[in-house]
Amino acid sequence: MRTEPLLSQADDLLARGRAENAAHLLAPIVGRQPENVDAWHRMARAHLAMGDHDAALRAAKAAQHFDPHGPETLYWVSRAATELGRHREAIDAALDACREDPGNPRLHNRLADAQLAAGRVGDALDGLRIAVELAGYDAGLQVTHGRALFAAGRPLSAREALGRALALDPGHTGAHRTLALFEIAMESVVDASSLAQAADEFAQSLRVGPSGRVDERAILARDAMGYASRVTLTWCLIFLIALGVLGATSLVAVPAGLYLAILCLGALGACGAFVFRSALRRKP
């Protein structure tokens, strides 16, 4: 049975976000060829994308049975273990992967992610400092370095790291998303004490606890809704002032219903701005 075309098809499905279809395609392969390590890797990736972390770890462990020291296998073991909050196992697997292939920036990135998820910001920074010197050409590594720097209370250095990432890859989604998260975190910063609190909250958002990982997309969505609410409130106030001026000068007869409609819309905007701002200030 030639599996290469099927594995390529699974890669295409995963790239297009169709993880469930990829898992269905891979199931017969691993059933007939349980020693097919590459298929197990893709199965682990598919289950991670589907949010089934237990199944992802089982798939990664199946690959490890036949490939105990493979860097790619150890990578997927670490990824799945992190999502399950099994931090010691995730860090150990990532460390082993880095020892097997020390020049691979993707593996050093995985180790730093595992350490940040475990709350070990200092360890992540120490490892990233060396990794970035050796593989500063990797945009993903620069993004992770930026996150670790911000979590350590160094926002200027964090932005510089993201600037390097965007210089390497201007369209890097992770860099743009992280910059947006930095902006949200810095909204309440006015002094050293509030900066320390913002850094601590950001570090907490990187951790994986019993309830799982923080959904960054939800944070960004709340901030976008809050921004829309603030803009709505601002424009309602401008319109009210303009209508008041027109009414006072008797240039235009302004219907009372229009005042009421703008007041209602402004009230909704004010409520939305308050609610979404409160939600963002709460710890994830």
Side-chain angles (χ1 to χ4, degrees):
M1 178 182 179
R2 292 187 66 250
T3 60
E4 290 81 3
L6 294 175
L7 294 181
S8 296
Q9 188 178 347
D11 286 337
D12 181 62
L13 289 169
L14 288 166
R16 288 189 285 139
R18 297 172 59 184
E20 189 171 353
N21 296 96
H24 286 312
L25 178 66
L26 293 164
I29 300 176
V30 296
R32 296 190 188 100
Q33 299 179 7
E35 74 286 356
N36 193 322
V37 172
D38 291 334
W40 282 119
H41 291 165
R42 289 161 174 81
M43 184 68 86
R45 179 182 169 188
H47 283 298
L48 280 169
M50 294 160 60
D52 191 347
H53 304 139
D54 287 302
L57 185 59
R58 287 195 298 271
K61 290 286 190 179
Q64 192 176 28
H65 178 75
F66 297 99
D67 182 36
H69 304 296
E72 187 69 10
T73 295
L74 291 166
Y75 173 90
W76 291 110
V77 169
S78 178
R79 275 279 306 270
T82 287
E83 298 305 323
L84 289 168
R86 295 166 61 166
H87 300 303
R88 182 69 265 166
E89 183 178 357
I91 292 170
D92 287 345
L95 280 169
D96 289 343
C98 289
R99 293 189 190 102
E100 294 293 328
D101 187 4
N104 190 332
R106 178 167 168 262
L107 301 178
H108 290 283
N109 206 347
R110 168 86 290 270
L111 174 59
D113 275 337
Q115 290 167 329
L116 289 172
R120 293 170 56 173
V121 176
D123 290 342
L125 267 181
D126 289 341
L128 284 165
R129 191 176 297 114
I130 298 169
V132 167
E133 287 181 5
L134 298 174
Y137 55 83
D138 188 89
L141 198 62
Q142 295 284 2
V143 172
T144 304
H145 192 206
R147 287 181 172 234
L149 286 165
F150 196 99
R154 298 167 58 186
L156 295 180
S157 298
R159 288 179 181 276
E160 289 174 2
L162 290 183
R164 290 191 291 271
L166 290 171
L168 292 164
D169 182 1
H172 196 285
T173 304
H176 288 289
R177 183 172 64 244
T178 301
L179 274 175
L181 291 170
F182 285 178
E183 293 296 331
I184 294 170
M186 291 294 291
E187 283 182 355
S188 59
V189 173
V190 293
D191 53 20
S193 176
S194 56
L195 173 59
Q197 182 179 353
D200 181 61
E201 290 179 357
F202 185 79
Q204 289 294 326
S205 76
L206 300 177
R207 298 191 67 169
V208 177
S211 58
R213 188 183 291 275
V214 170
D215 187 352
E216 293 180 348
R217 289 173 297 183
I219 295 175
L220 294 172
R222 287 199 299 268
D223 183 63
M225 293 296 291
Y227 175 78
S229 297
R230 293 192 294 273
V231 169
T232 299
L233 175 60
T234 300
W235 278 106
C236 285
L237 291 173
I238 292 172
F239 280 128
L240 281 174
I241 293 170
L243 289 175
V245 171
L246 289 173
T249 56
S250 301
L251 292 175
V252 177
V254 181
L258 183 57
Y259 279 114
L260 181 61
I262 293 176
L263 283 170
C264 289
L265 187 59
L268 285 173
C271 290
F274 176 78
V275 169
F276 289 114
R277 175 60 64 87
S278 299
L280 286 169
R281 285 179 181 276
R282 283 192 224 112
K283 285 188 178 182

